[in-house]
Amino acid sequence: MPLRIVPPSGSPRTLALAQLVNSLGDGAYYVCSALYFARVVGLSPARIGLGLTVAWGVGSLAGVALGRIADRRGPRPTAVVLALATSASVASFLFVRSFPLFLLGACCYATAQCGLAAARQALLASLVTKEERTGTLAYLQSTLNAGLAVGAALGGVALHFGSREAYLSVFVLDAVAFALCALVLLRLPDIRVDRMPHRLATQQAVFRDLPYVVVTFLNMIMLLRMPLISLAIPLWIVERTSAPGWTVSTLLVLNTGAVMLFQVRTAAAVRDLPSATRTIRRGGVVMLASCAVFALSAAAGVPAQVAVAVLLAGAVLQVWGEMMQSAGAWQISFDLAPAGRYGQYQGFFGAGVPVARMLGPVLLTTLVVGLGVIGWLILGALFLAAGLAMGPAVRWAGKARTAVAYAV
């Protein structure tokens, strides 16, 4: 299969363009934001961490409610409004001079981001056939990584100058990027939303769907791999291995490039729920293997060159497992959601991302940096257990969905 990173023409390509535009701004923002709040605003690292934890907690809860609004009012107008709200929240950081204002702006930013993610998923479900959803999401993930990489490079330029004006230019770039994203989303068709008359249309339908809650929880465990490459592995390299510091950036580039080039190919194996659960199960095995390999990099007496080679091998396994987990999760999250309720269900399923951002750093640093090899094996066992449990959980959810369909 040839490598493809450009999605088919039509709605998928427009969605990818919107993704590319805002990921360019976000890439620069992610690189510079923490240093801006610390060096320019004067907030302590503890306050920054507390503010972001609270913000993503608020965002994870708000995402379900905003997804429900997308179901009721239409995903395109909701996505456009939330893209503009994200733009405004980023722009508000230009005027932050205290912790309360930072906390308020961060909550607005996280809420708009989580709601936008849910609305976009509902929009994709409305514009793309069921058979094309996972493949389209793979293209969007590749586009996301490409945009983040370019944006991170732009953020690096701002860090090089290190001035207040350089940091502020990054926030302006991100705010403009989300405003342009809203304009791109306006090019998509406005889909009429059909209302569901039965009990699944209630506000808390997704919270009452216990099988879907279990599937979401298992996926959340596997999403702990998100802070792995950005936080836990860099700390592991610096504190536990003989590898040079530049290895950190090498692994990040490898991860970003691999997803950009191979996510579409990996997702091609996922066509339905059985293939999705099979892919996630294999992903859990591969992620266990990656944890074991990373643990080997700190073996006593390992020279720097060997440590780098072992870390590269672990990173290859890690990104392979990541791509399999993503592809399977996309298929499962849509196929188990009731028609017409994609926004609400995607908002809940997507809450695993902010939860991983909240809890992942503390959990992973405790396991990996604190416990060392044993911690790596415990983490790998968690990935494996979640991957193995996904199959029975999805079958349970599928049976529950069929029972509801017959009851309506």
Side-chain angles (χ1 to χ4, degrees):
M1 180 187 295
L3 291 177
R4 295 189 61 187
I5 60 175
V6 179
S9 59
S11 296
R13 189 167 296 178
T14 303
L15 286 167
L17 178 59
Q19 183 83 289
L20 177 63
V21 169
N22 77 247
S23 63
L24 284 169
D26 266 350
Y29 171 83
Y30 292 149
V31 169
C32 297
S33 58
L35 291 177
Y36 167 79
F37 294 124
R39 294 177 178 177
V40 177
V41 179
L43 300 178
S44 67
R47 283 201 160 192
I48 295 172
L50 173 62
L52 293 177
T53 298
V54 172
W56 286 114
V58 171
S60 65
L61 295 175
V64 179
L66 292 171
R68 181 172 177 266
I69 291 175
D71 293 329
R72 292 174 59 85
R73 303 298 181 186
R76 191 193 72 164
T78 305
V80 169
V81 170
L82 289 172
L84 292 174
T86 307
S87 175
S89 64
V90 172
S92 73
F93 290 135
L94 298 172
F95 309 100
V96 166
R97 298 293 182 272
S98 63
F99 177 72
L101 289 178
F102 163 70
L103 180 61
L104 177 61
C107 288
C108 292
Y109 173 79
T111 296
Q113 280 275 49
C114 292
L116 177 59
R120 279 173 136 172
Q121 296 290 73
L123 184 58
L124 182 144
S126 303
L127 297 173
V128 178
T129 65
K130 178 180 179 181
E131 293 74 20
E132 296 174 327
R133 285 173 191 160
T134 297
T136 300
L137 282 165
Y139 280 115
L140 295 182
Q141 187 70 11
S142 297
T143 303
L144 172 67
N145 275 44
L148 289 176
V150 176
L154 295 175
V157 174
L159 290 179
H160 173 72
F161 288 100
S163 64
R164 180 176 182 273
E165 290 72 20
Y167 284 117
L168 294 181
S169 67
V170 168
F171 287 92
V172 172
L173 171 64
D174 199 22
V176 171
F178 274 99
L180 291 176
C181 171
L183 293 177
V184 174
L185 291 172
L186 281 174
R187 296 171 53 186
L188 293 167
D190 192 9
I191 305 299
R192 182 179 295 276
V193 178
D194 294 326
R195 305 284 175 83
M196 288 184 87
H198 57 81
R199 66 180 179 276
L200 286 179
T202 61
Q203 183 174 359
Q204 297 181 346
V206 68
F207 296 110
R208 299 175 183 175
D209 193 340
L210 182 58
Y212 197 87
V213 171
V214 171
V215 169
T216 300
F217 174 74
L218 293 174
N219 184 67
M220 183 188 70
I221 293 176
M222 302 198 79
L223 284 175
L224 290 173
R225 47 112 178 138
M226 294 181 64
L228 189 63
I229 193 67
S230 61
L231 177 66
I233 291 176
L235 291 175
W236 171 260
I237 291 173
V238 171
E239 297 190 15
R240 293 281 193 146
T241 76
S242 59
W246 54 259
T247 309
V248 173
S249 60
T250 301
L251 298 190
L252 288 172
V253 170
L254 185 153
N255 181 276
T256 302
V259 173
M260 184 174 66
L261 294 174
F262 298 108
Q263 182 68 78
V264 175
R265 174 180 287 190
T266 304
V270 179
R271 301 169 301 276
D272 48 27
L273 287 177
S275 60
T277 55
R278 189 163 55 247
T279 299
I280 287 183
R281 182 170 63 247
R282 292 171 179 169
V285 173
V286 172
M287 290 166 77
L288 169 62
S290 75
C291 290
V293 172
F294 279 128
L296 290 175
S297 65
V302 172
Q305 297 90 331
V306 175
V308 170
V310 173
L311 288 166
L312 287 172
V316 169
L317 291 170
Q318 190 273 332
V319 73
W320 185 19
E322 171 187 334
M323 291 188 291
M324 286 193 285
Q325 183 271 327
S326 295
W330 294 330
Q331 186 81 32
I332 289 169
S333 67
F334 277 109
D335 282 7
L336 293 180
R341 288 294 169 265
Y342 292 116
Q344 181 181 164
Y345 272 67
Q346 288 298 314
F348 181 72
F349 194 82
V353 173
V355 170
R357 286 174 173 168
M358 286 190 301
L359 304 181
V362 174
L363 177 61
L364 293 183
T365 52
T366 300
L367 284 176
V368 172
V369 182
L371 298 181
V373 172
I374 294 177
W376 274 114
L377 296 180
I378 293 173
L379 180 62
L382 283 175
F383 288 140
L384 178 63
L388 294 176
M390 188 65 79
V394 168
R395 287 192 291 273
W396 176 32
K399 292 178 181 177
R401 186 69 62 247
T402 302
V404 170
Y406 278 121
V408 175

